[in-house]
Amino acid sequence: MTFRDAWQRALYGPGGFYRRERPAAHFRTSVHASALFGQAIARLAGQLGLPTVVDIGAGSGELGKVLRDEGLSVLDIELDDDLPAQLSGLVIANEWLDNVPCEVVEWDEDGVPRYLLADLTPGPVVHGNDLLWLEQWWPGGPGDRAEVGRARDEAWQDVIRRLTDGAVAIAIDYGHVRSGRPPYGTLTGFRDGRECSPDPDGSCDITAHVALDSLGGTILSQRDALRALGISASRPPLALAHTEPLRYLSELSSAGEAAELLDPSGLGGFGWVWTAADAATVRRASRALCA
Ligand SMILES: C[S@@+](CC[C@H](N)C(=O)[O-])C[C@H]1O[C@@H](n2cnc3c(N)ncnc32)[C@H](O)[C@@H]1O
């Protein structure tokens, strides 16, 4: 059994982590950090003229709640839900792909990449499409470790090929691109809000950053995307504290939440990878996301 098989079973098998647990109990995503995130997504849907949002890997549906409050219609997709044959509207996958199990490999002392097994010891030599993927996207040498993004690419392509004219899909995740892969990979676990060893026993979330460039699509940082969509961490003027203290406090709290979403070393450093189904929609999405 490779680590990927063990990862799959630990998260999604019978009694697996995501069969029992609520994501918010273990880690904090943009959706948990602030309703401002969902409001920005709603603004984007409005600018694209899309009344429906499909939320893939919706967790406990926190994003959908904000979007419905903003008047949008929302389809939450979670484990065991089938993706509709056609996806129209704005498709969002926030921190889904990092949880799509993938092969983890390590180059041996001769520079040969080997699959890691469930106990993270080296096993068979990497071959076939996994090897081609590594050569194209994540070359390494003796002692390096990598996560083969092919399973994420395939999961995302399965979404993209369903888009109908006018639709836009955005994968939002922490990740890296070829010019800056982490030499020892990023495989890790989360339990009760703390990072932990990625034990594939169902007791913790297991995650690895996403190779954003191999997904295909246009990449920008969450910081740039949210700023283009009108999120600002500017503090309200102090004078407001004297004239309208309640409004001042509310705007101050909003600015704090915005700062967390925009923080370049935190959520703001996430990548947004977007794809639109047709040329006219590409132009609309470019205008909306590139301020
Ligand atoms: C890290 S959580 C993110 C939840 C939410 N999007 C958020 O931002 O808080 C990843 C979610 O993806 C879901 N998931 C994993 N594989 C999936 C699949 N094939 N189809 C739909 N949901 C999936 C998991 O059950 C989990 O709820």
Side-chain angles (χ1 to χ4, degrees):
M1 186 190 282
T2 65
F3 190 82
R4 179 192 176 182
D5 302 323
W7 183 351
Q8 177 73 34
R9 196 179 59 182
L11 294 195
Y12 307 118
F17 181 81
Y18 279 111
R19 303 268 170 207
R20 307 185 320 266
E21 302 289 336
R22 277 186 328 108
H26 297 274
F27 47 83
R28 183 172 167 87
T29 69
S30 297
V31 162
H32 310 136
S34 173
L36 292 172
F37 179 78
Q39 289 159 2
I41 300 279
R43 269 196 297 283
L44 176 60
Q47 287 171 29
L48 295 170
L50 299 172
T52 304
V53 176
V54 181
D55 183 11
I56 303 181
S60 306
E62 294 95 338
L63 176 60
K65 183 176 178 318
V66 176
L67 295 173
R68 287 185 191 96
D69 288 347
E70 296 291 319
L72 288 157
S73 128
V74 182
L75 177 63
D76 286 340
I77 304 279
E78 251 302 322
L79 292 178
D80 302 331
D81 295 327
D82 288 329
L83 272 180
Q86 296 201 315
L87 292 167
S88 54
L90 177 58
V91 179
I92 299 291
N94 189 56
E95 296 204 37
W96 167 44
L97 293 175
D98 65 283
N99 281 134
V100 171
C102 61
E103 298 291 359
V104 182
V105 306
E106 211 166 272
W107 281 263
D108 65 19
E109 63 275 16
D110 298 320
V112 175
R114 293 181 172 277
Y115 292 107
L116 294 189
L117 304 177
D119 60 357
L120 290 176
T121 57
V125 171
V126 177
H127 56 268
N129 289 334
D130 287 337
L131 187 59
L132 292 176
W133 190 94
L134 285 175
E135 285 167 1
Q136 181 176 2
W137 294 109
W138 196 331
D144 290 346
R145 189 191 270 191
E147 291 104 24
V148 182
R150 206 161 69 81
R152 281 87 181 271
D153 295 356
E154 286 172 1
W156 191 237
Q157 283 314 311
D158 187 39
V159 171
I160 299 302
R161 69 183 174 76
R162 294 166 196 261
L163 298 180
T164 58
D165 276 3
V168 173
I170 311 179
I172 303 170
D173 235 304
Y174 36 95
H176 39 64
V177 294
R178 192 180 149 138
S179 55
R181 303 279 185 230
Y184 205 62
T186 57
L187 182 71
T188 191
F190 283 92
R191 186 189 294 120
D192 301 328
R194 295 234 169 92
E195 196 161 359
C196 64
S197 145
D199 302 326
D201 57 5
S203 70
C204 61
D205 180 34
I206 300 175
T207 165
H209 290 32
V210 176
L212 299 170
D213 43 355
S214 72
L215 296 177
T218 305
I219 305 174
L220 74 165
S221 71
Q222 167 149 308
R223 179 179 173 83
D224 289 344
L226 291 183
R227 285 166 78 157
L229 294 170
I231 292 198
S232 155
S234 306
R235 294 160 68 100
L238 201 53
L240 196 62
H242 302 294
T243 53
E244 292 181 74
L246 288 180
R247 186 167 148 213
Y248 175 78
L249 284 178
S250 150
E251 288 186 13
L252 195 61
S253 145
S254 242
E257 291 176 12
E260 182 179 358
L261 292 174
L262 298 174
D263 177 3
S265 59
L267 294 171
F270 276 39
W272 284 35
V273 184
W274 65 266
T275 298
D278 58 285
T281 313
V282 168
R283 284 194 293 277
R284 265 202 299 280
S286 301
R287 272 199 301 277
L289 289 170
C290 305

